[in-house]
Amino acid sequence: MARASDYPPPFGPIDAIGVPTDGPEERIEVGILIVGGGPGGLACAIRLGQLLEEHPELRERLGEVPVAVLEKGKQPGSHVLSGAVVNPRPLRRLFRGRLTMADLPGYGEVPDEAVFVLTRRSSFRIPPPPTMRNHGNYIFSASELTRFLAEQAESLGVVVLPETSAVKLLVDHGRVLGARTGDKGRGRHGEPLPTFERGSDVVAGVTVLAEGTQGLLTTAAIERFRLQGENPQIWALGVKEVWRVPRPLRKIVHTMGWPLRALAGYGEFGGSFIYPMGDDLVTIGFVAGLEARDVEFSVHDVLQEFKTHRLVWDIIRGGERVAWGAKTITEGGYHSLPRQLSAPGLLLVGEGPGLVNVPRLKGIHYAIESGRLAAEAAVRALRRGEVPSRIGALDSYDEALRQTRLWRELYEVRNMRQAFDKGFFMGGALASMMTVTKGRAPNGRFPTHPNAEWPLIRTGRSRRYPKPDGRYIFDKLSSVFASGNRTRDDQPNHLEVAQRVRRPVAEAWEWMCPANVYAVGRDLGDGMVTVEITPSNCVQCGAISAKGGRLTPPEGGSGPEYTLT
């Protein structure tokens, strides 16, 4: 049987490692460099700004730009997508004595919650499992929250640089020195256009990678410093729509079961979320693991199928879709975390290294807490006169992270995601046992298998997908338009995939992609085909990196322009 892993991309993460190439006088020097302007990177920036206010002598030592954030989107939040129901503890800790939760741009506390098991025509409400209880948590738009965090960081003197991709991690003699930014203004074949701007080496005493899911430099750093965890990392894909609705929703809703198939042989694991955003907006999303085996499995189309259920129809009937987006979610859990989240001159925070609690459906507050702890570790090392690139200089970050409640929670559910490789019913039974015993039984380590290594099958999955009507059910291209995608048609291709593969692999890529980027090309005979790519459709969800290819950073400022997701 064909597997996507049989056709690796012509680009590996280690290709994103390099030494500085600009001369010393051409380099941009900053004190601390943060790559990624999402919640984790900005929480790190905010805490650094707070600490530098308390220690002005250190601010002076760090130079003209003590803290800089590189953000590849048009603005902070442009590429951020999540549910999002957020545990407020790390936000309160970050803003203690400065802001309250009422000052943040959210939609209030979770008013009520419901969990349903679905069949095609029915829904059965069940008590929320302990891992899915959200009393006291807050509802946010992740992109709105991120823009707010960027404003707070800038008010503390942090320099945020939007439209700036980081394409190489600068490493010399085993020490991280910073990152190189990408060129702008190149044509389809790499030729300089009249608007061409060359990238720069940005060097720093400490580099914090907060790229989020499928971060190229994070992946490269883990490989370069041999930080891989016990299990390989795995991912799911989430596709989300925001709807303006005529009737307010007064609770958050999670579902499991239909439209996914329960048998283990299909590899269909996931579920949905429906969250209110005030009185007239709701967010509806579906998340499914990228190990699904059917070549026609498409999370975008499963979401469209899900919306035909009476439970969902009663919520969106008479409404209008106002936004759409897609993003991968890091799902490997505790056993897939890097054995260390620091290296000489380097700190890893947030979802990039895998700080996501899948059973609790939580990642944002993990990113915020790890960003805060990374900032404190960096300042501890710099205040005592350490050279941060010395081996062990930043170890206090790992020590602090391992003492947190978040780390204990990850350990308790360390095998829960893997249990569902055995199917919905067996996985549910094992997950219940793990919940009751707080992870003590079954003990040991359940393995994970890379998403791309599962053999592909064909069962006619697409026959179940509803036909688009442009009002309630949408195709992929109209959804890309709803994302506000800004990618130039004549940009260089930023997607690295094998150009000649077996037909089932090409079909799996075509169906998997929520943005209609890949298509089956010419028939080459012997079951082989070419792969056609439309890079300008890409919303940078990262699914291809989990399924045999590699997403690399495109020109800064391209990609989606998320505002409500």
Side-chain angles (χ1 to χ4, degrees):
M1 291 191 226
R3 290 175 171 83
S5 59
D6 294 336
Y7 301 94
F11 179 96
I14 207 67
D15 295 322
I17 299 279
V19 298
T21 53
D22 289 346
E25 68 287 347
E26 297 174 315
R27 297 173 188 172
I28 299 172
E29 294 188 8
V30 304
I32 299 172
L33 175 66
I34 301 169
V35 178
L42 291 169
C44 182
I46 289 167
R47 185 60 182 143
L48 285 168
Q50 294 169 352
L51 291 168
L52 293 179
E53 279 187 345
E54 297 170 15
H55 305 289
E57 77 290 349
L58 178 57
R59 176 186 287 274
E60 189 173 343
R61 272 202 284 133
L62 291 177
E64 285 186 29
V65 183
V67 184
V69 178
L70 305 183
E71 166 52 42
K72 62 186 172 66
K74 185 75 175 174
Q75 60 178 326
S78 294
H79 294 174
V80 176
L81 179 145
S82 183
V85 169
V86 178
N87 184 316
R89 281 195 307 270
L91 281 166
R92 288 183 174 133
R93 206 171 282 128
L94 180 66
F95 290 118
R96 185 176 293 145
R98 297 169 183 258
L99 299 173
T100 69
M101 292 302 294
D103 297 316
L104 275 61
Y107 299 93
E109 281 194 57
V110 171
D112 193 9
E113 58 188 322
V115 178
F116 294 90
V117 176
L118 302 187
T119 66
R120 174 66 189 90
R121 303 191 185 282
S122 302
S123 58
F124 303 93
R125 188 167 180 172
I126 64 172
T131 55
M132 295 175 70
R133 291 174 188 163
N134 284 281
H135 177 72
N137 292 337
Y138 282 70
I139 301 169
F140 286 97
S141 154
S143 54
E144 288 178 343
L145 176 62
T146 301
R147 287 194 294 277
F148 174 83
L149 294 176
E151 292 168 4
Q152 299 304 306
E154 289 179 318
S155 72
L156 291 163
V158 173
V159 175
V160 179
L161 300 170
E163 301 187 56
T164 308
S165 295
V167 298
K168 273 189 186 293
L169 186 66
L170 301 179
V171 180
D172 195 18
H173 295 97
R175 300 173 302 145
V176 174
L177 304 180
R180 182 166 183 82
T181 64
D183 295 344
K184 290 184 178 181
R186 288 193 180 274
R188 191 186 307 276
H189 305 292
E191 71 280 11
L193 301 176
T195 56
F196 176 70
E197 297 175 31
R198 189 175 297 283
S200 300
D201 290 343
V202 184
V203 296
V206 179
T207 301
V208 181
L209 295 184
E211 299 171 288
T213 179
Q214 295 289 7
L216 178 63
L217 303 196
T218 302
T219 306
I222 290 170
E223 186 170 318
R224 167 63 179 79
F225 292 101
R226 300 179 182 176
L227 303 177
Q228 294 91 338
E230 295 178 285
N231 281 351
Q233 192 57 266
I234 58 174
W235 289 267
L237 177 63
V239 180
K240 166 178 172 172
E241 297 179 348
V242 179
W243 281 71
R244 181 167 287 111
V245 293
R247 298 165 296 280
L249 179 66
R250 299 302 187 194
K251 60 179 176 287
I252 67 170
V253 176
H254 294 103
T255 76
M256 55 189 81
W258 187 89
L260 300 180
R261 296 179 288 186
L263 296 180
Y266 296 120
E268 296 182 10
F269 166 77
S272 79
F273 58 88
I274 308 174
Y275 300 155
M277 298 169 65
D279 288 338
D280 63 342
L281 294 175
V282 298
T283 181
I284 301 173
F286 208 95
V287 177
L290 284 167
E291 68 272 20
R293 295 183 59 196
D294 195 296
V295 297
E296 294 175 351
F297 187 80
S298 160
V299 182
H300 171 85
D301 292 298
V302 167
L303 173 60
Q304 307 312 308
E305 185 180 5
F306 171 67
K307 291 188 304 186
T308 66
H309 196 281
R310 174 58 60 183
L311 179 76
V312 188
W313 174 248
D314 287 344
I315 295 170
I316 65 173
R317 177 169 43 88
E320 174 193 10
R321 186 179 76 164
V322 295
W324 173 95
K327 204 77 172 176
T328 49
I329 301 164
T330 312
E331 286 205 337
Y334 181 87
H335 290 303
S336 297
L337 287 170
R339 58 180 178 80
Q340 198 171 320
L341 282 88
S342 62
L346 176 71
L347 296 165
L348 305 176
V349 309
E351 187 176 356
L355 291 169
V356 176
N357 190 319
V358 174
R360 291 187 182 275
L361 311 175
K362 296 289 177 287
I364 289 177
H365 76 282
Y366 281 72
I368 291 168
E369 182 73 350
S370 63
R372 180 183 70 84
L373 294 174
E376 292 176 355
V379 168
R380 263 194 305 274
L382 291 166
R383 283 197 70 215
R384 64 175 181 252
E386 272 279 12
V387 177
S389 58
R390 180 185 66 80
I391 294 174
L394 298 172
D395 283 356
S396 69
Y397 170 56
D398 291 275
E399 293 162 7
L401 198 55
R402 283 172 167 80
Q403 296 301 314
T404 62
R405 178 176 178 173
L406 305 183
W407 195 268
R408 292 194 299 275
E409 289 175 351
L410 284 175
Y411 182 76
E412 288 175 3
V413 299
R414 63 195 177 280
N415 288 318
M416 204 173 284
R417 169 63 176 85
Q418 299 92 299
F420 284 92
D421 285 348
K422 302 178 186 298
F424 178 73
F425 299 109
M426 178 63 76
L430 289 169
S432 298
M433 192 184 308
M434 294 171 191
T435 300
V436 169
T437 65
K438 291 191 176 294
R440 287 187 287 272
N443 208 344
R445 174 174 62 88
F446 287 24
T448 57
H449 307 282
N451 301 114
E453 289 188 1
W454 290 85
L456 298 169
I457 60 174
R458 190 186 306 277
T459 66
R461 184 69 169 82
S462 63
R463 289 196 296 267
R464 297 174 46 173
Y465 301 147
K467 285 184 167 41
D469 61 14
R471 184 171 180 188
Y472 292 107
I473 308 300
F474 298 94
D475 62 18
K476 293 179 177 179
L477 283 179
S478 64
S479 298
V480 172
F481 181 80
S483 76
N485 191 9
R486 297 175 165 272
T487 308
R488 284 190 292 114
D489 288 341
D490 62 346
Q491 272 188 36
N493 178 23
H494 62 283
L495 299 158
E496 300 284 352
V497 298
Q499 296 295 300
R500 298 175 175 225
V501 301
R502 295 191 66 79
R503 179 176 288 276
V505 174
E507 290 180 352
W509 289 346
E510 181 173 346
W511 281 100
M512 170 202 70
C513 178
N516 226 37
V517 171
Y518 309 96
V520 177
R522 291 182 296 109
D523 191 322
L524 301 173
D526 295 326
M528 300 291 288
V529 298
T530 61
V531 178
E532 295 182 355
I533 306 174
T534 309
S536 58
N537 284 0
C538 181
V539 294
Q540 301 176 39
C541 71
I544 193 63
S545 294
K547 209 69 175 176
R550 169 51 60 186
L551 167 71
T552 67
E555 179 177 293
S558 0
E561 181 58 35
Y562 296 142
T563 57
L564 283 171
T565 56

